[in-house]
Amino acid sequence: MSNLTVTAVIVTYNRLDLLKESIQKVLNQDTDALKHLIIVNGASTDGTFDYLNTLTDKRIIVEHLEQNLGGAGGFNWGMKTFYHKTQDDLVWVMDDDSMPTRSSLSRLLDMFNEKSEAGWGASKVNWLDGEWAKMNVPAPADGGKTAVFYGHDNLVEIKHATFVSTIFKRELIEKVGLPQKEYFIWGDDIEFTERSHRTMPGYFVRDSIVIHASKLNPNPGDIVGEVQEERLPRYMLEYRNRLLTSRRRHSVVKYIKTLGHGGLDFVKTLFLPRVQFRGKKLRIIIRGSLNGFKFNPAIEYVETKDKG
């Protein structure tokens, strides 16, 4: 396993300054295992197109999309490009505000050497202040977040993680398919890693550190406490997407709990004091949940080559 080769994928949309920094940190890893970097540009309008066309590093593959497909569509496209345009063993995925430290990738590769059965893995994601990035805490396979959040073991088996320095074997993608582009944004990574967990074990790698350079460090899915009005449309997709994930990947009990969680958000939004954009949030919870009842896109699979 020591000679594994890697393709990194960065998905970007209108965040050129962050993208430039992320590219440099990915290319400057302390291992020569990184053979390719695929940058998926979701029809950015901030100069990203022109900048990417100036890059000369032969490891870089630029994919300019004609429209913004969201993070989900970008990761779908990037993994598909990895599979069809490279022969590398692993694909390492992240957003344009993901800032790997020098040893992020090598520590992930160490995990595959130690856990030969592993099909995927996830780094420890810190925010700018050095504390946990709250939206990027993986969930241990045995439930809860205690073993990851409070534990000390370097490797912890997990059941889901976000696409902030997450790595997958080529053969795993052959088996489970691609991220669901129809999610557009939010929840596609949880759905995909839970699908992966059911096929091959994955591990949280505590000493593989990446910084999530997001503006804020909110709790995941916290529509009640959301203070940025421009982010509210994302919650419509959050409620829709997580209903499909719970329906496909979990039990009836989990599906009911997911519905209950949406109901609790509605009650808290309605009655708690000082909730900003109260009316808009209530409409989003209702419409997103209703959309989730009928949302059921098929999983897309890569076209595997006949291995004879």
Side-chain angles (χ1 to χ4, degrees), residues 203-259:
Y203 292 88
F204 166 66
V205 185
R206 196 178 302 275
D207 63 359
S208 173
I209 307 295
V210 61
I211 307 302
H212 192 182
S214 56
K215 291 181 180 179
L216 300 174
N217 188 22
N219 291 313
D222 182 20
I223 191 172
V224 182
E226 181 60 69
V227 296
Q228 293 184 292
E229 188 173 10
E230 66 272 16
R231 284 168 55 89
L232 290 181
R234 300 184 181 192
Y235 289 91
M236 184 88 68
L237 303 179
E238 166 81 6
Y239 286 98
R240 182 197 68 176
N241 295 346
R242 69 186 182 191
L243 279 175
L244 174 59
T245 300
S246 64
R247 186 167 71 245
R248 278 190 179 166
R249 306 289 157 233
H250 297 290
S251 64
V252 173
V253 173
K254 177 62 175 178
Y255 185 61
I256 294 172
K257 286 183 178 179
T258 301
L259 287 171

Short mmCIF file of all heavy atoms in Angstrom, two decimals, residues 203-259:
data_model
loop_
_atom_site.label_atom_id
_atom_site.label_comp_id
_atom_site.label_asym_id
_atom_site.label_seq_id
_atom_site.Cartn_x
_atom_site.Cartn_y
_atom_site.Cartn_z
N TYR A 203 -12.15 5.66 8.19
CA TYR A 203 -11.54 6.05 9.46
C TYR A 203 -11.29 7.55 9.53
O TYR A 203 -10.84 8.18 8.55
CB TYR A 203 -10.22 5.31 9.67
CG TYR A 203 -10.40 3.83 9.89
CD1 TYR A 203 -10.43 2.95 8.80
CD2 TYR A 203 -10.58 3.31 11.17
CE1 TYR A 203 -10.63 1.58 9.00
CE2 TYR A 203 -10.77 1.96 11.37
CZ TYR A 203 -10.80 1.09 10.28
OH TYR A 203 -11.00 -0.25 10.47
N PHE A 204 -11.58 8.11 10.68
CA PHE A 204 -11.16 9.45 11.04
C PHE A 204 -9.68 9.39 11.39
O PHE A 204 -9.25 8.50 12.14
CB PHE A 204 -11.98 9.93 12.24
CG PHE A 204 -11.44 11.14 12.94
CD1 PHE A 204 -11.39 12.37 12.31
CD2 PHE A 204 -10.99 11.05 14.25
CE1 PHE A 204 -10.90 13.50 12.96
CE2 PHE A 204 -10.51 12.16 14.92
CZ PHE A 204 -10.46 13.39 14.28
N VAL A 205 -8.90 10.32 10.84
CA VAL A 205 -7.45 10.34 11.05
C VAL A 205 -7.10 11.63 11.79
O VAL A 205 -7.00 12.71 11.21
CB VAL A 205 -6.70 10.25 9.70
CG1 VAL A 205 -5.19 10.16 9.95
CG2 VAL A 205 -7.19 9.06 8.88
N ARG A 206 -6.90 11.50 13.09
CA ARG A 206 -6.77 12.68 13.96
C ARG A 206 -5.53 13.51 13.64
O ARG A 206 -5.55 14.75 13.81
CB ARG A 206 -6.74 12.23 15.43
CG ARG A 206 -6.99 13.35 16.42
CD ARG A 206 -7.00 12.83 17.86
NE ARG A 206 -8.01 11.80 18.06
CZ ARG A 206 -9.29 12.04 18.34
NH1 ARG A 206 -9.71 13.28 18.44
NH2 ARG A 206 -10.13 11.05 18.52
N ASP A 207 -4.45 12.89 13.22
CA ASP A 207 -3.24 13.67 12.98
C ASP A 207 -3.12 14.19 11.55
O ASP A 207 -2.11 14.77 11.17
CB ASP A 207 -1.98 12.87 13.36
CG ASP A 207 -1.78 11.61 12.53
OD1 ASP A 207 -2.62 11.32 11.65
OD2 ASP A 207 -0.76 10.91 12.76
N SER A 208 -4.18 14.00 10.75
CA SER A 208 -4.26 14.64 9.44
C SER A 208 -5.11 15.89 9.62
O SER A 208 -6.33 15.82 9.74
CB SER A 208 -4.91 13.70 8.42
OG SER A 208 -5.15 14.37 7.19
N ILE A 209 -4.46 17.04 9.63
CA ILE A 209 -5.13 18.29 10.00
C ILE A 209 -5.38 19.15 8.76
O ILE A 209 -4.49 19.34 7.93
CB ILE A 209 -4.29 19.11 11.00
CG1 ILE A 209 -3.91 18.24 12.21
CG2 ILE A 209 -5.05 20.36 11.43
CD1 ILE A 209 -5.08 17.81 13.04
N VAL A 210 -6.59 19.68 8.67
CA VAL A 210 -6.93 20.64 7.61
C VAL A 210 -7.72 21.78 8.25
O VAL A 210 -8.47 21.57 9.20
CB VAL A 210 -7.73 19.96 6.48
CG1 VAL A 210 -9.04 19.40 7.00
CG2 VAL A 210 -7.99 20.92 5.32
N ILE A 211 -7.51 22.99 7.75
CA ILE A 211 -8.21 24.16 8.25
C ILE A 211 -9.37 24.50 7.31
O ILE A 211 -9.17 24.59 6.10
CB ILE A 211 -7.27 25.38 8.36
CG1 ILE A 211 -6.03 25.03 9.18
CG2 ILE A 211 -8.01 26.58 8.96
CD1 ILE A 211 -6.30 24.56 10.57
N HIS A 212 -10.56 24.67 7.89
CA HIS A 212 -11.72 25.09 7.10
C HIS A 212 -11.83 26.61 7.25
O HIS A 212 -12.25 27.11 8.28
CB HIS A 212 -12.98 24.40 7.60
CG HIS A 212 -14.14 24.55 6.68
ND1 HIS A 212 -15.39 24.05 6.94
CD2 HIS A 212 -14.26 25.15 5.45
CE1 HIS A 212 -16.22 24.33 5.95
NE2 HIS A 212 -15.55 25.01 5.04
N ALA A 213 -11.44 27.33 6.19
CA ALA A 213 -11.36 28.79 6.25
C ALA A 213 -12.71 29.44 5.91
O ALA A 213 -12.79 30.33 5.06
CB ALA A 213 -10.27 29.29 5.32
N SER A 214 -13.77 28.99 6.57
CA SER A 214 -15.09 29.57 6.38
C SER A 214 -15.22 30.84 7.20
O SER A 214 -14.50 31.05 8.18
CB SER A 214 -16.17 28.57 6.80
OG SER A 214 -15.97 28.14 8.13
N LYS A 215 -16.17 31.72 6.80
CA LYS A 215 -16.34 33.00 7.50
C LYS A 215 -16.78 32.80 8.95
O LYS A 215 -16.33 33.51 9.84
CB LYS A 215 -17.36 33.87 6.77
CG LYS A 215 -16.89 34.37 5.41
CD LYS A 215 -17.95 35.24 4.78
CE LYS A 215 -17.50 35.76 3.42
NZ LYS A 215 -18.55 36.59 2.77
N LEU A 216 -17.69 31.86 9.16
CA LEU A 216 -18.23 31.60 10.48
C LEU A 216 -18.03 30.13 10.84
O LEU A 216 -17.66 29.32 9.98
CB LEU A 216 -19.72 31.95 10.53
CG LEU A 216 -20.09 33.42 10.23
CD1 LEU A 216 -21.60 33.58 10.17
CD2 LEU A 216 -19.49 34.35 11.27
N ASN A 217 -18.28 29.79 12.09
CA ASN A 217 -18.14 28.40 12.55
C ASN A 217 -19.44 27.97 13.24
O ASN A 217 -19.47 27.74 14.45
CB ASN A 217 -16.95 28.28 13.50
CG ASN A 217 -16.63 26.84 13.85
OD1 ASN A 217 -17.01 25.91 13.13
ND2 ASN A 217 -15.96 26.64 14.97
N PRO A 218 -20.53 27.84 12.46
CA PRO A 218 -21.83 27.54 13.06
C PRO A 218 -22.01 26.05 13.33
O PRO A 218 -21.28 25.21 12.79
CB PRO A 218 -22.82 28.00 11.98
CG PRO A 218 -22.08 27.72 10.70
CD PRO A 218 -20.62 28.00 11.00
N ASN A 219 -23.00 25.72 14.15
CA ASN A 219 -23.41 24.34 14.30
C ASN A 219 -24.08 23.87 13.02
O ASN A 219 -24.73 24.66 12.33
CB ASN A 219 -24.37 24.19 15.48
CG ASN A 219 -23.68 24.41 16.81
OD1 ASN A 219 -22.61 23.87 17.06
ND2 ASN A 219 -24.30 25.21 17.67
N PRO A 220 -23.97 22.59 12.68
CA PRO A 220 -24.56 22.11 11.43
C PRO A 220 -26.08 22.17 11.46
O PRO A 220 -26.72 21.82 12.45
CB PRO A 220 -24.07 20.66 11.34
CG PRO A 220 -23.72 20.28 12.75
CD PRO A 220 -23.24 21.53 13.40
N GLY A 221 -26.66 22.66 10.35
CA GLY A 221 -28.11 22.66 10.20
C GLY A 221 -28.87 23.53 11.17
O GLY A 221 -30.05 23.29 11.43
N ASP A 222 -28.24 24.58 11.69
CA ASP A 222 -28.87 25.40 12.73
C ASP A 222 -29.63 26.57 12.10
O ASP A 222 -29.19 27.71 12.14
CB ASP A 222 -27.82 25.91 13.72
CG ASP A 222 -28.41 26.73 14.85
OD1 ASP A 222 -29.62 26.61 15.09
OD2 ASP A 222 -27.65 27.49 15.48
N ILE A 223 -30.79 26.28 11.54
CA ILE A 223 -31.57 27.35 10.91
C ILE A 223 -32.08 28.34 11.95
O ILE A 223 -32.21 29.53 11.67
CB ILE A 223 -32.75 26.75 10.09
CG1 ILE A 223 -33.39 27.85 9.23
CG2 ILE A 223 -33.78 26.09 11.01
CD1 ILE A 223 -34.42 27.34 8.26
N VAL A 224 -32.35 27.87 13.16
CA VAL A 224 -32.89 28.75 14.20
C VAL A 224 -31.90 29.87 14.51
O VAL A 224 -32.25 31.04 14.64
CB VAL A 224 -33.23 27.96 15.47
CG1 VAL A 224 -33.83 28.89 16.53
CG2 VAL A 224 -34.20 26.83 15.16
N GLY A 225 -30.62 29.52 14.61
CA GLY A 225 -29.61 30.51 14.96
C GLY A 225 -28.96 31.19 13.78
O GLY A 225 -28.08 32.03 13.97
N GLU A 226 -29.38 30.86 12.56
CA GLU A 226 -28.76 31.44 11.37
C GLU A 226 -28.99 32.96 11.33
O GLU A 226 -30.10 33.45 11.53
CB GLU A 226 -29.36 30.81 10.11
CG GLU A 226 -28.77 31.33 8.80
CD GLU A 226 -27.27 31.09 8.70
OE1 GLU A 226 -26.87 29.92 8.58
OE2 GLU A 226 -26.52 32.10 8.77
N VAL A 227 -27.92 33.73 11.06
CA VAL A 227 -28.01 35.18 11.05
C VAL A 227 -27.70 35.78 9.67
O VAL A 227 -27.83 36.99 9.48
CB VAL A 227 -27.07 35.80 12.09
CG1 VAL A 227 -27.47 35.38 13.50
CG2 VAL A 227 -25.60 35.41 11.82
N GLN A 228 -27.30 34.93 8.72
CA GLN A 228 -26.99 35.42 7.38
C GLN A 228 -28.16 35.09 6.44
O GLN A 228 -28.39 33.93 6.09
CB GLN A 228 -25.71 34.77 6.85
CG GLN A 228 -24.45 35.20 7.61
CD GLN A 228 -23.20 34.62 7.01
OE1 GLN A 228 -22.97 33.42 7.04
NE2 GLN A 228 -22.38 35.47 6.44
N GLU A 229 -28.88 36.11 6.04
CA GLU A 229 -30.08 35.90 5.23
C GLU A 229 -29.76 35.24 3.90
O GLU A 229 -30.54 34.43 3.39
CB GLU A 229 -30.80 37.22 4.99
CG GLU A 229 -32.16 37.07 4.32
CD GLU A 229 -32.94 38.37 4.26
OE1 GLU A 229 -32.35 39.44 4.57
OE2 GLU A 229 -34.14 38.34 3.91
N GLU A 230 -28.58 35.54 3.33
CA GLU A 230 -28.24 34.98 2.03
C GLU A 230 -28.01 33.47 2.09
O GLU A 230 -28.03 32.79 1.05
CB GLU A 230 -27.00 35.67 1.46
CG GLU A 230 -25.71 35.44 2.24
CD GLU A 230 -25.49 36.45 3.36
OE1 GLU A 230 -26.46 37.13 3.74
OE2 GLU A 230 -24.35 36.54 3.85
N ARG A 231 -27.82 32.92 3.28
CA ARG A 231 -27.62 31.48 3.41
C ARG A 231 -28.93 30.70 3.57
O ARG A 231 -28.94 29.47 3.47
CB ARG A 231 -26.73 31.19 4.64
CG ARG A 231 -25.26 31.48 4.41
CD ARG A 231 -24.49 31.45 5.71
NE ARG A 231 -24.64 30.22 6.44
CZ ARG A 231 -23.87 29.14 6.31
NH1 ARG A 231 -22.88 29.16 5.42
NH2 ARG A 231 -24.07 28.06 7.03
N LEU A 232 -30.02 31.39 3.79
CA LEU A 232 -31.28 30.70 4.10
C LEU A 232 -31.74 29.75 3.00
O LEU A 232 -32.25 28.67 3.32
CB LEU A 232 -32.37 31.72 4.42
CG LEU A 232 -32.21 32.47 5.75
CD1 LEU A 232 -33.37 33.42 5.96
CD2 LEU A 232 -32.12 31.49 6.92
N PRO A 233 -31.61 30.08 1.70
CA PRO A 233 -32.06 29.13 0.68
C PRO A 233 -31.39 27.76 0.78
O PRO A 233 -31.97 26.76 0.36
CB PRO A 233 -31.70 29.83 -0.63
CG PRO A 233 -31.73 31.29 -0.29
CD PRO A 233 -31.19 31.37 1.11
N ARG A 234 -30.19 27.71 1.34
CA ARG A 234 -29.51 26.42 1.48
C ARG A 234 -30.28 25.47 2.40
O ARG A 234 -30.23 24.25 2.24
CB ARG A 234 -28.10 26.62 2.03
CG ARG A 234 -27.21 27.49 1.17
CD ARG A 234 -25.81 27.57 1.73
NE ARG A 234 -24.93 28.41 0.95
CZ ARG A 234 -23.61 28.47 1.09
NH1 ARG A 234 -23.03 27.71 2.03
NH2 ARG A 234 -22.88 29.26 0.33
N TYR A 235 -30.97 26.04 3.38
CA TYR A 235 -31.71 25.20 4.32
C TYR A 235 -32.89 24.51 3.67
O TYR A 235 -33.31 23.44 4.11
CB TYR A 235 -32.16 26.03 5.52
CG TYR A 235 -31.03 26.43 6.43
CD1 TYR A 235 -30.35 27.63 6.24
CD2 TYR A 235 -30.61 25.60 7.47
CE1 TYR A 235 -29.30 28.00 7.07
CE2 TYR A 235 -29.56 25.97 8.31
CZ TYR A 235 -28.91 27.16 8.10
OH TYR A 235 -27.87 27.52 8.93
N MET A 236 -33.43 25.10 2.61
CA MET A 236 -34.48 24.42 1.85
C MET A 236 -33.95 23.08 1.34
O MET A 236 -34.64 22.05 1.42
CB MET A 236 -34.90 25.29 0.67
CG MET A 236 -36.06 24.72 -0.13
SD MET A 236 -37.64 25.23 0.51
CE MET A 236 -37.61 26.99 0.14
N LEU A 237 -32.72 23.09 0.84
CA LEU A 237 -32.10 21.86 0.35
C LEU A 237 -31.71 20.94 1.50
O LEU A 237 -31.77 19.72 1.37
CB LEU A 237 -30.88 22.21 -0.51
CG LEU A 237 -31.15 23.14 -1.69
CD1 LEU A 237 -29.87 23.43 -2.45
CD2 LEU A 237 -32.18 22.55 -2.62
N GLU A 238 -31.29 21.54 2.62
CA GLU A 238 -30.92 20.75 3.79
C GLU A 238 -32.07 19.86 4.24
O GLU A 238 -31.91 18.65 4.45
CB GLU A 238 -30.49 21.69 4.92
CG GLU A 238 -30.38 21.05 6.29
CD GLU A 238 -29.09 20.29 6.51
OE1 GLU A 238 -28.22 20.36 5.62
OE2 GLU A 238 -28.95 19.64 7.55
N TYR A 239 -33.27 20.44 4.39
CA TYR A 239 -34.42 19.66 4.85
C TYR A 239 -34.83 18.63 3.81
O TYR A 239 -35.17 17.49 4.15
CB TYR A 239 -35.59 20.59 5.19
CG TYR A 239 -35.37 21.33 6.48
CD1 TYR A 239 -34.89 22.64 6.48
CD2 TYR A 239 -35.59 20.72 7.71
CE1 TYR A 239 -34.65 23.32 7.67
CE2 TYR A 239 -35.35 21.39 8.90
CZ TYR A 239 -34.88 22.68 8.87
OH TYR A 239 -34.64 23.34 10.05
N ARG A 240 -34.79 19.01 2.55
CA ARG A 240 -35.13 18.06 1.49
C ARG A 240 -34.13 16.91 1.44
O ARG A 240 -34.50 15.73 1.43
CB ARG A 240 -35.14 18.79 0.14
CG ARG A 240 -35.52 17.91 -1.03
CD ARG A 240 -35.12 18.54 -2.35
NE ARG A 240 -33.66 18.60 -2.53
CZ ARG A 240 -33.06 19.04 -3.63
NH1 ARG A 240 -33.79 19.52 -4.62
NH2 ARG A 240 -31.74 19.06 -3.71
N ASN A 241 -32.84 17.24 1.42
CA ASN A 241 -31.80 16.23 1.21
C ASN A 241 -31.71 15.24 2.36
O ASN A 241 -31.53 14.04 2.15
CB ASN A 241 -30.45 16.91 1.01
CG ASN A 241 -30.40 17.74 -0.26
OD1 ASN A 241 -31.26 17.62 -1.13
ND2 ASN A 241 -29.40 18.60 -0.37
N ARG A 242 -31.82 15.72 3.59
CA ARG A 242 -31.62 14.80 4.71
C ARG A 242 -32.78 13.82 4.87
O ARG A 242 -32.60 12.74 5.42
CB ARG A 242 -31.35 15.56 6.00
CG ARG A 242 -32.48 16.35 6.60
CD ARG A 242 -31.96 17.13 7.78
NE ARG A 242 -32.99 17.89 8.46
CZ ARG A 242 -32.72 18.81 9.38
NH1 ARG A 242 -31.48 19.07 9.71
NH2 ARG A 242 -33.70 19.47 9.97
N LEU A 243 -33.96 14.18 4.36
CA LEU A 243 -35.06 13.21 4.37
C LEU A 243 -34.75 12.05 3.43
O LEU A 243 -35.00 10.89 3.77
CB LEU A 243 -36.38 13.88 3.99
CG LEU A 243 -37.07 14.65 5.11
CD1 LEU A 243 -38.30 15.38 4.56
CD2 LEU A 243 -37.49 13.71 6.24
N LEU A 244 -34.19 12.34 2.27
CA LEU A 244 -33.82 11.26 1.35
C LEU A 244 -32.70 10.42 1.96
O LEU A 244 -32.74 9.19 1.90
CB LEU A 244 -33.36 11.84 0.01
CG LEU A 244 -32.82 10.81 -0.99
CD1 LEU A 244 -33.86 9.74 -1.30
CD2 LEU A 244 -32.34 11.48 -2.27
N THR A 245 -31.70 11.06 2.56
CA THR A 245 -30.61 10.32 3.15
C THR A 245 -31.10 9.38 4.25
O THR A 245 -30.72 8.21 4.30
CB THR A 245 -29.55 11.29 3.73
OG1 THR A 245 -29.04 12.10 2.66
CG2 THR A 245 -28.40 10.53 4.36
N SER A 246 -31.97 9.87 5.11
CA SER A 246 -32.47 9.03 6.20
C SER A 246 -33.35 7.90 5.67
O SER A 246 -33.36 6.80 6.20
CB SER A 246 -33.23 9.86 7.23
OG SER A 246 -34.38 10.43 6.67
N ARG A 247 -34.07 8.17 4.60
CA ARG A 247 -34.95 7.15 4.03
C ARG A 247 -34.16 6.03 3.38
O ARG A 247 -34.50 4.85 3.49
CB ARG A 247 -35.90 7.81 3.02
CG ARG A 247 -36.96 6.88 2.46
CD ARG A 247 -38.05 7.65 1.72
NE ARG A 247 -37.61 8.21 0.46
CZ ARG A 247 -37.53 9.52 0.20
NH1 ARG A 247 -37.83 10.40 1.14
NH2 ARG A 247 -37.14 9.95 -0.98
N ARG A 248 -33.09 6.39 2.67
CA ARG A 248 -32.31 5.39 1.93
C ARG A 248 -31.28 4.69 2.80
O ARG A 248 -31.00 3.52 2.63
CB ARG A 248 -31.59 6.06 0.76
CG ARG A 248 -32.44 6.24 -0.47
CD ARG A 248 -31.56 6.66 -1.61
NE ARG A 248 -32.33 6.83 -2.84
CZ ARG A 248 -31.86 7.44 -3.92
NH1 ARG A 248 -30.65 7.93 -3.92
NH2 ARG A 248 -32.61 7.55 -5.00
N ARG A 249 -30.64 5.44 3.69
CA ARG A 249 -29.47 4.92 4.38
C ARG A 249 -29.76 4.41 5.78
O ARG A 249 -28.88 3.86 6.42
CB ARG A 249 -28.39 6.00 4.47
CG ARG A 249 -28.03 6.61 3.14
CD ARG A 249 -27.25 5.65 2.26
NE ARG A 249 -27.40 6.05 0.87
CZ ARG A 249 -27.80 5.25 -0.08
NH1 ARG A 249 -28.11 4.01 0.19
NH2 ARG A 249 -27.92 5.68 -1.31
N HIS A 250 -30.97 4.66 6.28
CA HIS A 250 -31.22 4.32 7.68
C HIS A 250 -32.52 3.53 7.81
O HIS A 250 -33.12 3.10 6.84
CB HIS A 250 -31.30 5.60 8.52
CG HIS A 250 -30.04 6.39 8.55
ND1 HIS A 250 -28.91 5.96 9.20
CD2 HIS A 250 -29.71 7.58 7.99
CE1 HIS A 250 -27.94 6.86 9.05
NE2 HIS A 250 -28.40 7.83 8.32
N SER A 251 -32.95 3.38 9.03
CA SER A 251 -34.18 2.65 9.35
C SER A 251 -35.38 3.59 9.33
O SER A 251 -35.25 4.81 9.25
CB SER A 251 -34.05 2.02 10.74
OG SER A 251 -33.93 3.03 11.72
N VAL A 252 -36.56 3.00 9.46
CA VAL A 252 -37.78 3.79 9.58
C VAL A 252 -37.70 4.68 10.81
O VAL A 252 -38.17 5.83 10.79
CB VAL A 252 -39.01 2.86 9.65
CG1 VAL A 252 -40.27 3.66 9.94
CG2 VAL A 252 -39.15 2.06 8.36
N VAL A 253 -37.11 4.15 11.87
CA VAL A 253 -36.97 4.93 13.10
C VAL A 253 -36.17 6.21 12.83
O VAL A 253 -36.53 7.30 13.29
CB VAL A 253 -36.30 4.10 14.20
CG1 VAL A 253 -36.00 4.97 15.42
CG2 VAL A 253 -37.20 2.92 14.59
N LYS A 254 -35.06 6.09 12.10
CA LYS A 254 -34.24 7.26 11.78
C LYS A 254 -35.03 8.25 10.93
O LYS A 254 -34.92 9.47 11.12
CB LYS A 254 -32.97 6.82 11.05
CG LYS A 254 -32.08 7.98 10.61
CD LYS A 254 -31.55 8.80 11.75
CE LYS A 254 -30.59 9.86 11.27
NZ LYS A 254 -30.09 10.71 12.36
N TYR A 255 -35.81 7.75 10.00
CA TYR A 255 -36.62 8.62 9.15
C TYR A 255 -37.61 9.41 10.00
O TYR A 255 -37.78 10.62 9.82
CB TYR A 255 -37.34 7.77 8.10
CG TYR A 255 -38.12 8.57 7.09
CD1 TYR A 255 -37.50 9.48 6.26
CD2 TYR A 255 -39.50 8.39 6.95
CE1 TYR A 255 -38.21 10.20 5.32
CE2 TYR A 255 -40.23 9.10 6.01
CZ TYR A 255 -39.57 10.00 5.20
OH TYR A 255 -40.29 10.72 4.26
N ILE A 256 -38.24 8.74 10.94
CA ILE A 256 -39.18 9.41 11.82
C ILE A 256 -38.46 10.46 12.69
O ILE A 256 -38.97 11.56 12.90
CB ILE A 256 -39.92 8.39 12.71
CG1 ILE A 256 -40.82 7.49 11.84
CG2 ILE A 256 -40.75 9.07 13.79
CD1 ILE A 256 -41.43 6.34 12.58
N LYS A 257 -37.26 10.11 13.17
CA LYS A 257 -36.49 11.07 13.96
C LYS A 257 -36.12 12.30 13.12
O LYS A 257 -36.12 13.43 13.63
CB LYS A 257 -35.23 10.41 14.49
CG LYS A 257 -35.47 9.44 15.64
CD LYS A 257 -34.15 8.88 16.15
CE LYS A 257 -34.36 7.95 17.34
NZ LYS A 257 -33.07 7.40 17.84
N THR A 258 -35.81 12.08 11.86
CA THR A 258 -35.48 13.20 10.98
C THR A 258 -36.68 14.11 10.80
O THR A 258 -36.56 15.34 10.83
CB THR A 258 -34.98 12.69 9.62
OG1 THR A 258 -33.83 11.86 9.82
CG2 THR A 258 -34.61 13.84 8.70
N LEU A 259 -37.85 13.52 10.61
CA LEU A 259 -39.07 14.32 10.52
C LEU A 259 -39.31 15.08 11.82
O LEU A 259 -39.70 16.25 11.82
CB LEU A 259 -40.26 13.41 10.22
CG LEU A 259 -40.35 12.84 8.80
CD1 LEU A 259 -41.45 11.78 8.73
CD2 LEU A 259 -40.63 13.95 7.80
#
